[in-house]
Amino acid sequence: MNKSSQAKLKMLIVDDEPDNLDLLYRTFRLEFQVFRAESAIAALDLLEEHGEVAIIISDQRMPEMLGTEFLSKTVERFPDTIRIVLTAYTDVKDLVDAINSGKVFKYITKPWNQQQLQAVVRQAAETYRVVKQRTEELRRSLRRESLFNAVNTAIRESLDYSSMLQAIVETLGKAFTSECCSLHPIENGFLSSQVVQYISHDHVPANLWNPTMPLIRSVLEDYSATESGFRAIKTFTEGNTEQNTAHVIIPLTYQTDLLAILSIVRKGDLNQWSTEDLDLLEGVSEQAVIAISQAKLYQRTQKQAEQIRAELAVARQIQNNLLRQTLPELPGVCVQACCHPAREVGGDFFEVYQHPQGDLWLAVGDVSGKGVPAALFMASAISVLRRELAQETSPNPEDVMQNLNRILLDDLVSTNCFITMVLARFNPLTRQLVYANAGHLYPLLWSRQVADAEIVPQYLTNRGVPLGIRELWKAPSGSAVLNPGDTFLLMSDGVTEVTIRSQMQVYATTPSAVNSGMMLQQAGFWKLLQEDRDCLDLKRLLARIRAATLAQEDDQTMLSLEVL
């Protein structure tokens, strides 16, 4: 029991006979703080003045009001009070009804046995103490649960880190009826300039929370001076005896990190803060600090994600600038190219280069993997390729492939990557095309001069292994002569291995495990091409494929050479 429960309990005795009142008073005055009333009306007035009492002993037969009727009037306002009836009459029905309804604890007949009455009163006092203790525990539990739920709700409804801090401050400020509640975030060991405050009304003087600042700084200094941090509440009273303010400071620490310092200011002295209040404040602060830590981590993650997105946007622009922005315009030849990475940056690339001797070089490559690693190899491959193509004498495609493999081999092997690529050299005068294929998709060749029913694409099938697989790359070159009306097309597997929606599955040839869709493949791509073969537009074709794609999982690149 705490001190309050061990103090004298209040007792009210009500009887219209003064002798009985005196006897009862003398019997219990040493153990209880006893109030006397000669009528039910006077007893109600005493209760109005002094509040709840632990025990009421009332005579049953009184001129103005029966004892059970009087006691029934006290039930709603003082449900925990223990009620005892004294009666000299055997009015069994009234007493049974009163006991059954919970209005009376016991009844004792007059004249009473002194020892029996004292035993009943002691039992009543113990019952009252137990009831009050359990009621107080329940009240504390309900208050704690209510406050925790309020803090949880405020946290859940917060949109970001700043709104969460504001919600926590307002919830705690209102819950503890404070004049001012403020939260001082800590950034890199220093007080942040961002102070989140709750003020109970608009006319709180500004100097009400100013005295708190020195103590907040001292908390920060004490925390910095310790090796493992601490969790402790600091309190002090500011002002004069007529207008005191009680300040409570609690550091909000997560593990060993000081995240913020909470300050709550109440009018009055520190007696306004009960042990229950301080314990509850510390408990709910532990809950709040976890949410603050998570919100701070989320905010940091969001900032990092935004920074990464910004950097990737710059990287995408740089990578896009690495590709040819303008394509050569030669008489009798039309060249088109387009590339769309699956992520911000990708591993696909194309190259169109006109050699000073007149040869037109075409290339489409695909670095294994996606994202930044593939993009870095893509940039390296383009750089080496352009250096190889810029030789004084236009080289052979297989020689360029061998040099690329030799230069990039160590880096590709060490990172478990490889590059597939088709490299073609076209002579506009002789219209001869020579190509080398390092594990890439077969190039397509078709002619518009053939009747519609007889158009069949030619797949150029000479092919070797990808770059970065063997120390020495070697594969036979392929060749073809392009006549007017012929189209030579290169693409990456991101175009043919795409999973398409139902409305375009008429073009698909292979089932896909992704969302029960269908895979386009080269045969399906050719069906799609036939609709635009007389007026080939690669960007429009790629846009059509992308619009029907369930999810772009790989970079998509196409390059075409048309002989007019």
Side-chain angles (χ1 to χ4, degrees), residues 16 39 60 71 112 151 158 292 298 303 415 419 451 491 498 520 528:
D16 57 339
S39 67
Q60 170 66 2
L71 293 176
W112 61 81
V151 172
S158 301
I292 292 173
Y298 178 74
K303 288 182 178 179
T415 55
I419 300 174
M491 75 193 83
V498 68
L520 190 61
L528 192 61

Side-chain angles (χ1 to χ4, degrees), residues 161-464:
Y161 175 70
S162 298
S163 63
M164 175 182 288
L165 296 184
Q166 188 64 49
I168 290 174
V169 165
E170 291 184 2
T171 302
L172 295 181
K174 293 175 182 178
F176 290 96
T177 60
S178 66
E179 296 296 310
C180 175
C181 181
S182 61
L183 193 64
H184 304 259
I186 306 298
E187 300 291 345
N188 300 319
F190 297 95
L191 285 171
S192 171
S193 58
Q194 174 195 8
V195 179
V196 185
Q197 287 186 338
Y198 160 78
I199 300 176
S200 60
H201 52 82
D202 296 334
H203 302 294
V204 174
N207 60 3
L208 185 62
W209 55 83
N210 286 343
T212 310
M213 290 307 300
L215 189 59
I216 289 175
R217 294 190 182 95
S218 72
V219 168
L220 182 58
E221 292 172 359
D222 292 345
Y223 183 88
S224 302
T226 61
E227 295 181 359
S228 59
F230 62 93
R231 289 195 56 81
I233 293 180
K234 289 195 173 185
T235 59
F236 75 103
T237 300
E238 178 74 14
N240 51 47
T241 56
E242 297 180 356
Q243 190 176 1
N244 286 337
T245 54
H247 301 245
V248 174
I249 313 296
I250 180 168
L252 303 183
T253 61
Y254 180 73
Q255 295 178 349
T256 59
D257 295 331
L258 179 61
L259 302 183
I261 298 176
L262 177 68
S263 166
I264 299 183
V265 180
R266 275 180 175 176
K267 284 186 177 179
D269 55 26
L270 289 177
N271 293 328
Q272 300 293 328
W273 286 91
S274 64
T275 303
E276 175 192 338
D277 284 343
L278 296 177
D279 291 343
L280 182 57
L281 177 59
E282 188 166 16
V284 78
S285 70
E286 292 176 356
Q287 179 191 25
V289 77
I290 295 175
I292 292 173
S293 174
Q294 293 174 344
K296 201 168 186 178
L297 178 61
Y298 178 74
Q299 182 191 46
R300 189 182 304 119
T301 303
Q302 288 294 97
K303 288 182 178 179
Q304 291 175 348
E306 291 175 5
Q307 182 178 359
I308 291 173
R309 282 194 293 268
E311 292 174 355
L312 286 176
V314 174
R316 184 187 184 107
Q317 185 61 44
I318 293 174
Q319 185 181 40
N320 186 61
N321 291 339
L322 288 175
L323 303 176
R324 297 291 181 185
Q325 303 302 305
T326 58
L327 302 178
E329 296 182 3
L330 301 175
V333 174
C334 177
V335 180
Q336 299 182 64
C338 60
C339 179
H340 195 281
R343 300 180 182 174
E344 285 80 358
V345 291
D348 274 15
F349 62 91
F350 68 83
E351 174 62 358
V352 180
Y353 173 71
Q354 185 178 8
H355 195 273
Q357 290 183 342
D359 289 340
L360 184 64
W361 287 87
L362 308 171
V364 167
D366 183 1
V367 181
S368 62
K370 304 177 186 68
V372 175
L376 293 175
F377 273 119
M378 168 266 190
S380 180
I382 285 184
S383 175
V384 175
L385 175 62
R386 287 175 178 170
R387 187 181 66 191
E388 291 296 317
L389 296 180
Q391 298 179 39
E392 185 176 350
T393 302
S394 188
N396 294 319
E398 63 270 24
D399 294 336
V400 176
M401 284 290 197
Q402 289 178 359
N403 291 336
L404 282 172
N405 184 75
R406 176 178 52 81
I407 295 170
L408 299 174
L409 180 66
D410 290 342
D411 290 336
L412 290 172
V413 170
S414 65
T415 55
N416 199 26
C417 292
F418 59 86
I419 300 174
T420 67
M421 188 170 70
V422 173
L423 178 63
R425 183 188 67 193
F426 176 69
N427 189 318
L429 298 178
T430 63
R431 297 198 296 274
Q432 184 181 33
L433 180 81
V434 181
Y435 70 92
N437 188 337
H440 203 77
L441 291 179
Y442 296 144
L444 270 68
L445 179 62
W446 73 90
S447 175
R448 295 194 303 271
Q449 304 301 323
V450 184
D452 288 352
E454 300 178 8
I455 293 182
V456 177
Q458 179 183 356
Y459 292 96
L460 306 182
T461 58
N462 284 13
R463 184 165 66 179

